[in-house]
C-alpha cells in the first residue's frame, strides 16, 4: 500500500491537471501574455541564457516569453530527456530553426545534438512548469521527479558559485493552500503566475 502523502500528491496532481486542461484557448493565450509581461519585469537584466519548456497538458505557454527573449538576444534552451539515464534532463539550445522531435511523453523537444547542450550552471534563469504550488513556494510536478533529480547537484554547490535562478511558472488555478512536500523536492527561488510573483 502507498503512503498517505503519496496518495494525496497523486490525487492533487490529477485534479490540478484537469483544472489547467479545462482552461479555454482564449484564457490560455491571455495567461501566456500576462506571464510574459510578469517575467519581463522580473527577470534580472543580466539574463543571457534562459531555460524554458514547450507547454503540454494545459501548462502555461512560454511561447510569448521565448519570443520576447529572442527579440532581446537572450539565448534560450529547452529540456531534453537524458538519452542514457532517461531520468534526468539535459538543456539544449533552442531557436526558431532548431530541429525538433517528440519524446516518450509525446512532448516536443530539440533533436539530440551534443554540440548544442548548455550546462545547467551556464543558465542565468530556469523556468519550470508546476502542476501545483503553495504560497510557501513548494512545487508539485508531474510526478516523474525529473527536475528534482536534475537540479539536485545545485544543492551541493558552494555559496557564491553561479547557479541559475529557479523560477516556477503556473496558472493561478494551480495554487493550493498547502502542498505535501518530500525531502528530495528542490526549493524554488520564485513562483510567477499571470497575476502573482511569490519570492521565497
Ligand atoms: N534527487 C533524486 N534522486 C533520485 N530520485 C529522485 C530524486 N528526486 C526525486 N526522485 C524520485 O522521483 C520521484 C518523483 O518525485 P516527485 O517529487 O514526487 O515528482 P515531481 O517533482 O515531478 O512532482 C520520487 O519517487 C523520487 O524518489
Ligand atoms: Mg518533486
Amino acid at each position: 500500500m502507498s503512503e498517505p502523502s503519496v496518495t494525496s500528491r497523486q490525487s492533487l496532481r490529477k485534479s490540478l491537471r484537469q483544472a489547467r486542461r479545462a482552461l479555454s484557448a482564449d484564457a490560455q493565450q491571455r495567461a501566456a501574455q500576462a506571464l510574459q509581461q510578469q517575467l519581463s519585469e522580473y527577470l534580472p537584466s543580466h539574463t543571457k541564457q534562459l531555460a524554458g519548456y514547450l507547454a503540454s497538458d494545459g501548462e502555461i505557454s512560454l511561447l510569448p516569453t521565448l519570443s520576447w527573449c529572442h527579440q532581446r538576444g537572450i539565448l534560450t534552451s529547452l529540456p531534453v530527456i537524458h538519452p542514457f539515464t532517461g531520468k534526468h534532463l539535459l538543456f539544449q539550445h533552442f531557436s526558431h530553426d532548431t530541429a525538433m522531435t517528440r519524446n516518450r511523453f509525446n512532448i516536443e523537444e530539440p533533436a539530440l545534438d551534443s554540440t548544442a547542450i548548455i550546462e545547467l550552471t551556464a543558465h542565468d534563469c530556469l523556468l519550470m512548469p508546476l502542476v501545483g504550488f503553495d504560497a510557501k513556494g513548494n512545487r508539485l510536478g508531474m510526478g516523474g521527479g525529473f527536475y528534482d533529480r536534475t537540479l539536485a547537484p545545485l544543492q551541493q554547490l558552494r555559496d557564491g558559485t553561479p547557479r541559475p535562478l529557479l523560477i516556477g511558472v503556473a496558472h493561478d488555478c494551480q495554487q493550493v493552500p498547502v502542498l505535501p512536500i518530500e525531502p528530495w523536492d528542490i526549493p524554488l527561488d520564485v513562483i510567477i503566475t499571470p497575476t502573482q510573483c511569490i519570492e521565497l
Side-chain angles (χ1 to χ4, degrees):
M1 222 177 78
S2 51
E3 290 179 27
S5 68
V6 173
T7 316
S8 65
R9 276 160 80 92
Q10 280 170 353
S11 58
L12 260 179
R13 282 189 184 101
K14 197 170 167 214
S15 59
L16 291 168
R17 287 176 63 185
Q18 272 170 357
R20 69 183 185 187
R21 281 197 302 262
L23 294 169
S24 67
D26 191 49
Q28 282 283 2
Q29 207 168 356
R30 277 183 279 118
Q33 291 292 349
L35 182 71
Q36 182 271 315
Q37 186 64 37
Q38 292 268 77
L39 286 166
S40 67
E41 287 164 23
Y42 185 81
L43 294 179
S45 56
H46 68 259
T47 303
K48 297 265 183 308
Q49 184 80 53
L50 172 140
Y53 62 86
L54 294 184
S56 66
D57 189 54
E59 287 168 345
I60 192 162
S61 169
L62 288 183
L63 292 181
T65 299
L66 293 170
S67 302
W68 177 85
C69 287
H70 295 156
Q71 282 161 20
R72 298 175 66 96
I74 298 173
L75 297 174
T76 62
S77 69
L78 291 177
V80 172
I81 297 177
H82 197 292
F84 300 149
T85 73
K87 291 181 168 183
H88 295 76
L89 300 172
L90 293 172
F91 294 90
Q92 199 172 301
H93 177 69
F94 170 69
S95 60
H96 67 278
D97 57 358
T98 299
M100 304 296 287
T101 181
R102 283 188 180 269
N103 66 27
R104 67 175 192 267
F105 301 109
N106 204 29
I107 298 172
E108 245 192 321
E109 63 175 39
L112 191 65
D113 171 2
S114 60
T115 66
I117 292 170
I118 315 289
E119 262 193 77
L120 179 58
T121 52
H123 291 86
D124 302 295
C125 300
L126 194 149
L127 303 179
M128 68 189 100
L130 314 175
V131 170
F133 67 95
D134 65 19
K136 286 189 173 161
N138 296 313
R139 168 185 186 268
L140 187 70
M142 292 281 272
F146 284 82
Y147 281 99
D148 290 325
R149 242 179 250 112
T150 304
L151 302 179
L154 296 179
Q155 308 283 85
Q156 265 77 58
L157 292 180
R158 285 180 205 202
D159 285 354
T161 311
R163 55 174 218 109
L165 197 61
L166 304 181
I167 305 173
V169 297
H171 294 288
D172 287 289
C173 65
Q174 312 306 124
Q175 185 162 5
V176 296
V178 186
L179 262 189
I181 52 159
E182 299 291 351
W184 58 78
D185 285 324
I186 301 289
L188 302 172
D189 296 308
V190 59
I191 292 179
I192 298 187
T193 74
T195 67
Q196 297 185 82
C197 177
I198 305 172
E199 285 197 270
L200 303 155

